[in-house]
Amino acid sequence: SPGEAILHQKIGHPIPFEGHSQDYSVFLSGFLLPTSILGTPTLTFPIGVSRSGLPIAVQIHGAMGDDLRLLAFGRRLQAHFPLPVLKF
């Protein structure tokens, strides 16, 4: 299902979402806690690099037991977003 992208903030800074400012840990726990408790698969996929050289990624959550389907989706993504080159 489609979801809204959020701009990542430094830890401790509030996250703007739907016109409100929400506490960082409270906001993210609403997304991360169910996945952790249920043990559903998650794929974090690099899609590029910002102008300042920082990696940009998306995180995709799958249904319980859909590990292989999620990995197959990741392979399709990789065809459109080659792995970015990071410079240190």
Side-chain angles (χ1 to χ4, degrees):
S1 68
E4 183 170 335
I6 60 167
L7 179 63
H8 180 72
Q9 300 291 327
K10 293 181 181 178
I11 291 177
H13 291 263
I15 294 177
F17 185 73
E18 295 182 348
H20 301 358
S21 184
Q22 299 187 10
D23 180 69
Y24 184 91
S25 59
V26 173
F27 180 80
L28 290 181
S29 69
F31 293 102
L32 304 177
L33 192 60
T35 299
S36 296
I37 290 173
L38 296 174
T40 56
T42 304
L43 176 67
T44 302
F45 191 85
I47 60 169
V49 179
S50 71
R51 281 183 241 144
S52 60
L54 296 173
I56 299 172
V58 294
Q59 189 174 64
I60 305 159
H61 298 253
M64 189 176 291
D66 266 353
D67 303 59
L68 294 177
R69 185 175 175 194
L70 187 61
L71 289 172
F73 181 71
R75 282 198 246 5
R76 287 194 299 274
L77 269 180
Q78 194 172 18
H80 297 285
F81 297 98
L83 292 176
V85 175
L86 302 177
K87 297 177 185 174
F88 295 97

